[in-house]
PDB file of all heavy atoms in Angstrom:
ATOM      1  N   LYS A  13      86.180 183.880 160.755  1.00  0.00           N
ATOM      2  CA  LYS A  13      86.040 183.656 159.337  1.00  0.00           C
ATOM      3  C   LYS A  13      87.489 183.386 158.800  1.00  0.00           C
ATOM      4  O   LYS A  13      87.731 182.483 157.943  1.00  0.00           O
ATOM      5  CB  LYS A  13      85.613 185.043 158.743  1.00  0.00           C
ATOM      6  CG  LYS A  13      84.066 185.110 158.818  1.00  0.00           C
ATOM      7  CD  LYS A  13      83.546 186.253 158.090  1.00  0.00           C
ATOM      8  CE  LYS A  13      82.000 186.320 158.086  1.00  0.00           C
ATOM      9  NZ  LYS A  13      81.537 187.358 157.289  1.00  0.00           N
ATOM     10  N   ILE A  20      90.122 175.558 156.052  1.00  0.00           N
ATOM     11  CA  ILE A  20      89.701 174.819 154.836  1.00  0.00           C
ATOM     12  C   ILE A  20      90.957 174.647 153.967  1.00  0.00           C
ATOM     13  O   ILE A  20      91.110 173.602 153.529  1.00  0.00           O
ATOM     14  CB  ILE A  20      88.716 175.726 154.056  1.00  0.00           C
ATOM     15  CG1 ILE A  20      87.258 175.630 154.745  1.00  0.00           C
ATOM     16  CG2 ILE A  20      88.595 175.319 152.627  1.00  0.00           C
ATOM     17  CD1 ILE A  20      86.256 176.429 154.119  1.00  0.00           C
ATOM     18  N   ASN A  98      61.351 197.381 154.488  1.00  0.00           N
ATOM     19  CA  ASN A  98      60.906 197.244 155.900  1.00  0.00           C
ATOM     20  C   ASN A  98      60.033 198.385 156.311  1.00  0.00           C
ATOM     21  O   ASN A  98      59.751 198.561 157.443  1.00  0.00           O
ATOM     22  CB  ASN A  98      62.197 197.212 156.759  1.00  0.00           C
ATOM     23  CG  ASN A  98      62.953 198.522 156.735  1.00  0.00           C
ATOM     24  OD1 ASN A  98      62.542 199.480 156.108  1.00  0.00           O
ATOM     25  ND2 ASN A  98      64.064 198.655 157.420  1.00  0.00           N
ATOM     26  N   GLU A 101      62.406 201.799 154.851  1.00  0.00           N
ATOM     27  CA  GLU A 101      63.542 201.818 153.786  1.00  0.00           C
ATOM     28  C   GLU A 101      63.167 200.851 152.675  1.00  0.00           C
ATOM     29  O   GLU A 101      62.709 199.674 152.993  1.00  0.00           O
ATOM     30  CB  GLU A 101      64.826 201.535 154.496  1.00  0.00           C
ATOM     31  CG  GLU A 101      65.436 202.640 155.209  1.00  0.00           C
ATOM     32  CD  GLU A 101      65.713 202.236 156.617  1.00  0.00           C
ATOM     33  OE1 GLU A 101      65.189 201.368 157.150  1.00  0.00           O
ATOM     34  OE2 GLU A 101      66.709 202.939 157.241  1.00  0.00           O
ATOM     35  N   MET A 151      66.144 211.091 167.445  1.00  0.00           N
ATOM     36  CA  MET A 151      67.265 211.762 168.132  1.00  0.00           C
ATOM     37  C   MET A 151      67.493 213.149 167.700  1.00  0.00           C
ATOM     38  O   MET A 151      67.859 214.077 168.508  1.00  0.00           O
ATOM     39  CB  MET A 151      68.502 210.856 167.798  1.00  0.00           C
ATOM     40  CG  MET A 151      69.781 211.531 168.219  1.00  0.00           C
ATOM     41  SD  MET A 151      70.177 211.380 169.995  1.00  0.00           S
ATOM     42  CE  MET A 151      71.627 212.291 170.126  1.00  0.00           C
ATOM     43  N   ASN A 153      65.853 215.960 166.765  1.00  0.00           N
ATOM     44  CA  ASN A 153      64.576 216.899 166.685  1.00  0.00           C
ATOM     45  C   ASN A 153      63.512 216.344 165.743  1.00  0.00           C
ATOM     46  O   ASN A 153      62.822 217.091 165.096  1.00  0.00           O
ATOM     47  CB  ASN A 153      65.110 218.329 166.102  1.00  0.00           C
ATOM     48  CG  ASN A 153      65.805 219.087 167.114  1.00  0.00           C
ATOM     49  OD1 ASN A 153      65.735 218.708 168.308  1.00  0.00           O
ATOM     50  ND2 ASN A 153      66.565 220.157 166.718  1.00  0.00           N
ATOM     51  N   TYR A 189      80.103 171.286 144.008  1.00  0.00           N
ATOM     52  CA  TYR A 189      79.958 172.545 144.667  1.00  0.00           C
ATOM     53  C   TYR A 189      81.265 173.293 144.692  1.00  0.00           C
ATOM     54  O   TYR A 189      82.341 172.815 144.577  1.00  0.00           O
ATOM     55  CB  TYR A 189      79.336 172.385 146.024  1.00  0.00           C
ATOM     56  CG  TYR A 189      80.218 171.679 147.110  1.00  0.00           C
ATOM     57  CD1 TYR A 189      81.505 172.261 147.581  1.00  0.00           C
ATOM     58  CD2 TYR A 189      79.782 170.405 147.566  1.00  0.00           C
ATOM     59  CE1 TYR A 189      82.110 171.589 148.447  1.00  0.00           C
ATOM     60  CE2 TYR A 189      80.603 169.771 148.520  1.00  0.00           C
ATOM     61  CZ  TYR A 189      81.735 170.358 148.985  1.00  0.00           C
ATOM     62  OH  TYR A 189      82.556 169.703 149.944  1.00  0.00           O
ATOM     63  N   ASN A 204      76.208 209.135 147.423  1.00  0.00           N
ATOM     64  CA  ASN A 204      76.324 208.980 148.857  1.00  0.00           C
ATOM     65  C   ASN A 204      75.746 207.627 149.273  1.00  0.00           C
ATOM     66  O   ASN A 204      75.753 207.403 150.526  1.00  0.00           O
ATOM     67  CB  ASN A 204      75.461 210.093 149.523  1.00  0.00           C
ATOM     68  CG  ASN A 204      76.075 211.471 149.274  1.00  0.00           C
ATOM     69  OD1 ASN A 204      75.460 212.314 148.688  1.00  0.00           O
ATOM     70  ND2 ASN A 204      77.340 211.698 149.745  1.00  0.00           N
ATOM     71  N   ILE A 206      76.502 203.900 149.863  1.00  0.00           N
ATOM     72  CA  ILE A 206      77.531 202.843 149.990  1.00  0.00           C
ATOM     73  C   ILE A 206      77.028 201.565 149.511  1.00  0.00           C
ATOM     74  O   ILE A 206      75.894 201.154 150.090  1.00  0.00           O
ATOM     75  CB  ILE A 206      78.105 202.766 151.349  1.00  0.00           C
ATOM     76  CG1 ILE A 206      78.731 204.129 151.785  1.00  0.00           C
ATOM     77  CG2 ILE A 206      79.148 201.696 151.506  1.00  0.00           C
ATOM     78  CD1 ILE A 206      79.086 204.197 153.268  1.00  0.00           C
ATOM     79  N   PRO A 207      77.489 200.853 148.601  1.00  0.00           N
ATOM     80  CA  PRO A 207      76.888 199.568 148.142  1.00  0.00           C
ATOM     81  C   PRO A 207      76.599 198.612 149.297  1.00  0.00           C
ATOM     82  O   PRO A 207      77.431 198.474 150.227  1.00  0.00           O
ATOM     83  CB  PRO A 207      77.961 199.020 147.214  1.00  0.00           C
ATOM     84  CG  PRO A 207      78.679 200.145 146.699  1.00  0.00           C
ATOM     85  CD  PRO A 207      78.706 201.122 147.880  1.00  0.00           C
ATOM     86  N   HIS A 208      75.417 198.068 149.317  1.00  0.00           N
ATOM     87  CA  HIS A 208      75.115 197.080 150.243  1.00  0.00           C
ATOM     88  C   HIS A 208      75.346 195.689 149.870  1.00  0.00           C
ATOM     89  O   HIS A 208      75.873 194.833 150.549  1.00  0.00           O
ATOM     90  CB  HIS A 208      73.603 197.184 150.561  1.00  0.00           C
ATOM     91  CG  HIS A 208      73.027 196.038 151.311  1.00  0.00           C
ATOM     92  ND1 HIS A 208      73.446 195.673 152.510  1.00  0.00           N
ATOM     93  CD2 HIS A 208      72.075 195.108 150.946  1.00  0.00           C
ATOM     94  CE1 HIS A 208      72.657 194.511 152.813  1.00  0.00           C
ATOM     95  NE2 HIS A 208      71.858 194.222 151.824  1.00  0.00           N
ATOM     96  N   ARG A 215      77.183 190.751 150.158  1.00  0.00           N
ATOM     97  CA  ARG A 215      77.210 191.945 151.038  1.00  0.00           C
ATOM     98  C   ARG A 215      78.608 192.476 151.221  1.00  0.00           C
ATOM     99  O   ARG A 215      79.632 191.816 151.236  1.00  0.00           O
ATOM    100  CB  ARG A 215      76.652 191.542 152.523  1.00  0.00           C
ATOM    101  CG  ARG A 215      75.094 191.464 152.497  1.00  0.00           C
ATOM    102  CD  ARG A 215      74.607 191.033 153.772  1.00  0.00           C
ATOM    103  NE  ARG A 215      75.496 191.643 154.961  1.00  0.00           N
ATOM    104  CZ  ARG A 215      75.344 191.154 156.166  1.00  0.00           C
ATOM    105  NH1 ARG A 215      74.479 190.102 156.476  1.00  0.00           N
ATOM    106  NH2 ARG A 215      75.974 191.732 157.128  1.00  0.00           N
ATOM    107  N   THR A 216      78.620 193.865 151.375  1.00  0.00           N
ATOM    108  CA  THR A 216      79.904 194.477 151.318  1.00  0.00           C
ATOM    109  C   THR A 216      80.303 194.995 152.659  1.00  0.00           C
ATOM    110  O   THR A 216      81.401 195.631 152.790  1.00  0.00           O
ATOM    111  CB  THR A 216      79.784 195.817 150.397  1.00  0.00           C
ATOM    112  OG1 THR A 216      78.779 196.659 150.973  1.00  0.00           O
ATOM    113  CG2 THR A 216      79.363 195.373 149.057  1.00  0.00           C
TER     114      THR A 216
ATOM    115  N   ASN B   9      97.767 149.791 145.954  1.00  0.00           N
ATOM    116  CA  ASN B   9      96.378 149.898 146.400  1.00  0.00           C
ATOM    117  C   ASN B   9      95.584 150.410 145.290  1.00  0.00           C
ATOM    118  O   ASN B   9      95.710 151.678 145.083  1.00  0.00           O
ATOM    119  CB  ASN B   9      96.334 150.661 147.734  1.00  0.00           C
ATOM    120  CG  ASN B   9      94.844 150.614 148.235  1.00  0.00           C
ATOM    121  OD1 ASN B   9      93.993 150.009 147.679  1.00  0.00           O
ATOM    122  ND2 ASN B   9      94.636 151.395 149.318  1.00  0.00           N
ATOM    123  N   THR B  23      83.523 167.162 151.903  1.00  0.00           N
ATOM    124  CA  THR B  23      82.137 167.576 151.665  1.00  0.00           C
ATOM    125  C   THR B  23      81.491 167.969 152.918  1.00  0.00           C
ATOM    126  O   THR B  23      80.898 168.995 153.039  1.00  0.00           O
ATOM    127  CB  THR B  23      81.324 166.455 150.936  1.00  0.00           C
ATOM    128  OG1 THR B  23      82.020 166.009 149.870  1.00  0.00           O
ATOM    129  CG2 THR B  23      79.961 166.879 150.622  1.00  0.00           C
ATOM    130  N   LEU B  29      81.073 174.242 157.516  1.00  0.00           N
ATOM    131  CA  LEU B  29      81.713 175.581 157.495  1.00  0.00           C
ATOM    132  C   LEU B  29      80.785 176.654 156.923  1.00  0.00           C
ATOM    133  O   LEU B  29      80.733 177.781 157.432  1.00  0.00           O
ATOM    134  CB  LEU B  29      83.057 175.664 157.003  1.00  0.00           C
ATOM    135  CG  LEU B  29      84.136 174.949 157.768  1.00  0.00           C
ATOM    136  CD1 LEU B  29      85.409 174.981 156.958  1.00  0.00           C
ATOM    137  CD2 LEU B  29      84.292 175.604 159.091  1.00  0.00           C
ATOM    138  N   ASN B  37      77.001 185.795 159.243  1.00  0.00           N
ATOM    139  CA  ASN B  37      76.716 186.927 158.369  1.00  0.00           C
ATOM    140  C   ASN B  37      75.535 187.815 158.866  1.00  0.00           C
ATOM    141  O   ASN B  37      75.346 188.860 158.305  1.00  0.00           O
ATOM    142  CB  ASN B  37      76.450 186.455 156.945  1.00  0.00           C
ATOM    143  CG  ASN B  37      77.728 186.225 156.218  1.00  0.00           C
ATOM    144  OD1 ASN B  37      78.784 186.958 156.510  1.00  0.00           O
ATOM    145  ND2 ASN B  37      77.697 185.443 155.191  1.00  0.00           N
ATOM    146  N   GLN B  72      72.035 222.699 168.282  1.00  0.00           N
ATOM    147  CA  GLN B  72      70.655 223.077 167.841  1.00  0.00           C
ATOM    148  C   GLN B  72      69.971 221.984 167.253  1.00  0.00           C
ATOM    149  O   GLN B  72      68.686 221.979 167.025  1.00  0.00           O
ATOM    150  CB  GLN B  72      70.679 224.320 166.980  1.00  0.00           C
ATOM    151  CG  GLN B  72      71.118 223.993 165.564  1.00  0.00           C
ATOM    152  CD  GLN B  72      72.656 224.021 165.374  1.00  0.00           C
ATOM    153  OE1 GLN B  72      73.326 223.926 166.381  1.00  0.00           O
ATOM    154  NE2 GLN B  72      73.160 224.190 164.135  1.00  0.00           N
ATOM    155  N   ASN B  73      70.681 220.834 166.948  1.00  0.00           N
ATOM    156  CA  ASN B  73      70.066 219.749 166.257  1.00  0.00           C
ATOM    157  C   ASN B  73      69.238 218.806 167.125  1.00  0.00           C
ATOM    158  O   ASN B  73      68.661 217.887 166.622  1.00  0.00           O
ATOM    159  CB  ASN B  73      71.176 218.957 165.410  1.00  0.00           C
ATOM    160  CG  ASN B  73      71.976 219.837 164.586  1.00  0.00           C
ATOM    161  OD1 ASN B  73      72.288 220.913 164.888  1.00  0.00           O
ATOM    162  ND2 ASN B  73      72.203 219.308 163.380  1.00  0.00           N
ATOM    163  N   THR B  74      69.433 218.958 168.367  1.00  0.00           N
ATOM    164  CA  THR B  74      68.646 218.113 169.266  1.00  0.00           C
ATOM    165  C   THR B  74      68.470 218.761 170.618  1.00  0.00           C
ATOM    166  O   THR B  74      69.158 219.732 170.942  1.00  0.00           O
ATOM    167  CB  THR B  74      69.433 216.824 169.537  1.00  0.00           C
ATOM    168  OG1 THR B  74      68.743 215.950 170.505  1.00  0.00           O
ATOM    169  CG2 THR B  74      70.806 217.018 170.097  1.00  0.00           C
ATOM    170  N   VAL B 119      75.129 206.868 153.181  1.00  0.00           N
ATOM    171  CA  VAL B 119      74.148 205.926 153.761  1.00  0.00           C
ATOM    172  C   VAL B 119      74.420 204.589 153.176  1.00  0.00           C
ATOM    173  O   VAL B 119      74.830 204.420 152.059  1.00  0.00           O
ATOM    174  CB  VAL B 119      72.858 206.456 153.591  1.00  0.00           C
ATOM    175  CG1 VAL B 119      72.406 206.530 152.068  1.00  0.00           C
ATOM    176  CG2 VAL B 119      71.753 205.549 154.307  1.00  0.00           C
ATOM    177  N   GLN B 120      74.181 203.530 154.034  1.00  0.00           N
ATOM    178  CA  GLN B 120      74.305 202.149 153.451  1.00  0.00           C
ATOM    179  C   GLN B 120      73.222 201.306 154.095  1.00  0.00           C
ATOM    180  O   GLN B 120      72.922 201.342 155.331  1.00  0.00           O
ATOM    181  CB  GLN B 120      75.609 201.582 153.879  1.00  0.00           C
ATOM    182  CG  GLN B 120      75.864 200.176 153.309  1.00  0.00           C
ATOM    183  CD  GLN B 120      77.215 199.581 153.659  1.00  0.00           C
ATOM    184  OE1 GLN B 120      77.785 199.838 154.821  1.00  0.00           O
ATOM    185  NE2 GLN B 120      77.768 198.782 152.686  1.00  0.00           N
ATOM    186  N   PHE B 121      72.512 200.632 153.220  1.00  0.00           N
ATOM    187  CA  PHE B 121      71.467 199.584 153.718  1.00  0.00           C
ATOM    188  C   PHE B 121      72.178 198.507 154.433  1.00  0.00           C
ATOM    189  O   PHE B 121      73.231 197.944 153.900  1.00  0.00           O
ATOM    190  CB  PHE B 121      70.619 199.163 152.582  1.00  0.00           C
ATOM    191  CG  PHE B 121      69.515 198.338 152.949  1.00  0.00           C
ATOM    192  CD1 PHE B 121      68.425 198.810 153.607  1.00  0.00           C
ATOM    193  CD2 PHE B 121      69.542 196.947 152.795  1.00  0.00           C
ATOM    194  CE1 PHE B 121      67.281 198.110 154.027  1.00  0.00           C
ATOM    195  CE2 PHE B 121      68.525 196.165 153.157  1.00  0.00           C
ATOM    196  CZ  PHE B 121      67.395 196.685 153.759  1.00  0.00           C
ATOM    197  N   VAL B 122      71.655 198.131 155.694  1.00  0.00           N
ATOM    198  CA  VAL B 122      72.309 197.083 156.344  1.00  0.00           C
ATOM    199  C   VAL B 122      71.563 195.742 156.211  1.00  0.00           C
ATOM    200  O   VAL B 122      72.021 194.709 155.881  1.00  0.00           O
ATOM    201  CB  VAL B 122      72.454 197.488 157.824  1.00  0.00           C
ATOM    202  CG1 VAL B 122      73.085 196.290 158.595  1.00  0.00           C
ATOM    203  CG2 VAL B 122      73.314 198.650 157.954  1.00  0.00           C
ATOM    204  N   GLU B 124      66.999 194.242 156.561  1.00  0.00           N
ATOM    205  CA  GLU B 124      65.665 194.577 156.658  1.00  0.00           C
ATOM    206  C   GLU B 124      65.419 194.863 158.122  1.00  0.00           C
ATOM    207  O   GLU B 124      64.604 195.716 158.532  1.00  0.00           O
ATOM    208  CB  GLU B 124      64.718 193.474 156.183  1.00  0.00           C
ATOM    209  CG  GLU B 124      64.534 193.460 154.733  1.00  0.00           C
ATOM    210  CD  GLU B 124      63.478 192.476 154.289  1.00  0.00           C
ATOM    211  OE1 GLU B 124      63.768 191.233 154.479  1.00  0.00           O
ATOM    212  OE2 GLU B 124      62.414 192.889 153.796  1.00  0.00           O
ATOM    213  N   SER B 128      68.913 201.208 157.640  1.00  0.00           N
ATOM    214  CA  SER B 128      70.160 201.842 157.048  1.00  0.00           C
ATOM    215  C   SER B 128      71.086 202.285 158.141  1.00  0.00           C
ATOM    216  O   SER B 128      70.669 202.611 159.292  1.00  0.00           O
ATOM    217  CB  SER B 128      69.764 203.004 156.147  1.00  0.00           C
ATOM    218  OG  SER B 128      68.975 202.454 155.149  1.00  0.00           O
TER     219      SER B 128
END
Side-chain angles (χ1 to χ4, degrees):
Chain A
K13 283 188 175 180
I20 285 178
N98 66 1
E101 284 126 331
M151 169 76 184
N153 285 344
Y189 62 69
N204 295 117
I206 301 171
H208 161 66
R215 279 177 43 192
T216 62
Chain B
N9 183 7
T23 303
L29 287 179
N37 273 336
Q72 74 275 19
N73 304 41
T74 179
V119 62
Q120 184 179 34
F121 184 75
V122 177
E124 279 187 295
S128 302

